[in-house]
Amino acid sequence: MRRALSVVALLIVCSCAAPLPPPSVSAPELPPPPPPTMPADETVSGNVRVMASALNVRREPSSDSEVLVQVKKGTSLGVLRSDASWMKVRLADGTTGWVASRFVADPSKRAQPKRGGCTPDSDYAFVETPTPTFSELGAHGLVVVEANVNTKGIVTSTKLISNSTGDEALGFLTEREIKSAKFSPPIRDCGPRAFIFTYRRTF
């Protein structure tokens, strides 16, 4: 009996001496990931203002590219990237696109006094306005044509942008009208500049 009690006491001592499980160790907290960096050409490096009466913002730096939106004279645009002919800009609503560099100016660069009788910068103006031709076709709508104007103010080529009348003849008629116009081209840095004029004709 005494032997049995000794065995039971030994079992109790062994069970009490059993090692406790190691405390759980939580994983160290990782630092938050750094904020994504904007590509170099997506960071606004300055602002320019639209000098033309209306300026097309295009998807790509090409006069054949899709027009995303038109902006009015005096609109401020954030500059993302630029070269001699085109400038990538961001509008106030976040839209990004390309505009022709010759139609915008940096307002922080004040116009310097012109020397030697140099003509000051100016916008284009009509010398001879297009003469509307009345049509008896009965179609109604809006025709939009882009006209390329050279440094002498002469329309050298046209491109039909849209025609909601559904009548091709009215598109040809509109192009013929704007080809008859004459312009005084815009002056930039003492000299005339070629430009693109958007002609809208309602029938």
Side-chain angles (χ1 to χ4, degrees), residues 8 13 26 28 31 47 50 58 67 73 75 84 90 92 99 106 125-126 128 161 181 191 203:
V8 171
V13 170
S26 59
N47 291 281
V50 177
R58 298 181 181 274
V67 176
K73 184 175 182 177
T75 302
R90 177 177 291 143
V99 298
D106 186 345
F126 276 110
E128 295 180 20
I161 301 301
F203 291 93

Side-chain angles (χ1 to χ4, degrees), residues 4-29:
L5 290 175
S6 299
V7 171
V8 171
L10 182 60
L11 289 175
I12 292 173
V13 170
C14 290
S15 64
C16 292
L20 296 174
S24 60
V25 178
S26 59
E29 292 186 9

Side-chain angles (χ1 to χ4, degrees), residues 7-189:
V7 171
V8 171
L10 182 60
L11 289 175
I12 292 173
V13 170
C14 290
S15 64
C16 292
L20 296 174
S24 60
V25 178
S26 59
E29 292 186 9
L30 297 175
T37 56
M38 295 289 286
D41 65 342
E42 295 300 321
T43 303
V44 174
S45 59
N47 291 281
V48 292
R49 289 196 180 277
V50 177
M51 302 302 293
S53 57
L55 180 60
N56 293 326
V57 180
R58 298 181 181 274
R59 186 175 298 279
E60 300 293 339
S62 167
S63 58
D64 294 326
S65 179
E66 174 191 355
V67 176
L68 300 175
V69 68
Q70 274 197 339
V71 289
K72 297 180 180 180
K73 184 175 182 177
T75 302
S76 178
L77 307 172
V79 180
L80 301 176
R81 194 195 322 172
S82 64
D83 57 32
S85 301
W86 293 91
M87 187 174 291
K88 189 173 186 182
V89 297
R90 177 177 291 143
L91 280 63
D93 64 359
T95 301
T96 60
W98 294 84
V99 298
S101 300
R102 63 181 180 271
F103 298 131
V104 297
D106 186 345
S108 66
K109 297 179 180 178
R110 302 289 182 184
Q112 299 297 321
K114 305 297 182 181
R115 297 180 180 178
C118 179
T119 305
D121 288 355
S122 64
D123 204 354
Y124 73 87
F126 276 110
V127 175
E128 295 180 20
T129 58
T131 304
T133 305
F134 294 99
S135 170
E136 297 179 357
L137 298 176
H140 298 283
L142 176 67
V143 180
V144 180
V145 170
E146 278 189 351
N148 289 295
V149 185
N150 66 15
T151 55
K152 296 181 179 179
I154 299 171
V155 176
T156 57
S157 63
T158 57
K159 178 182 178 182
L160 181 65
I161 301 301
S162 64
N163 183 355
S164 65
T165 67
D167 191 327
E168 290 185 5
L170 294 180
F172 292 121
L173 182 66
T174 303
E175 289 186 85
R176 188 175 67 186
E177 287 179 5
I178 190 58
K179 284 178 180 177
S180 69
K182 297 292 188 298
F183 294 85
S184 171
I187 303 298
R188 298 288 184 272
D189 298 325

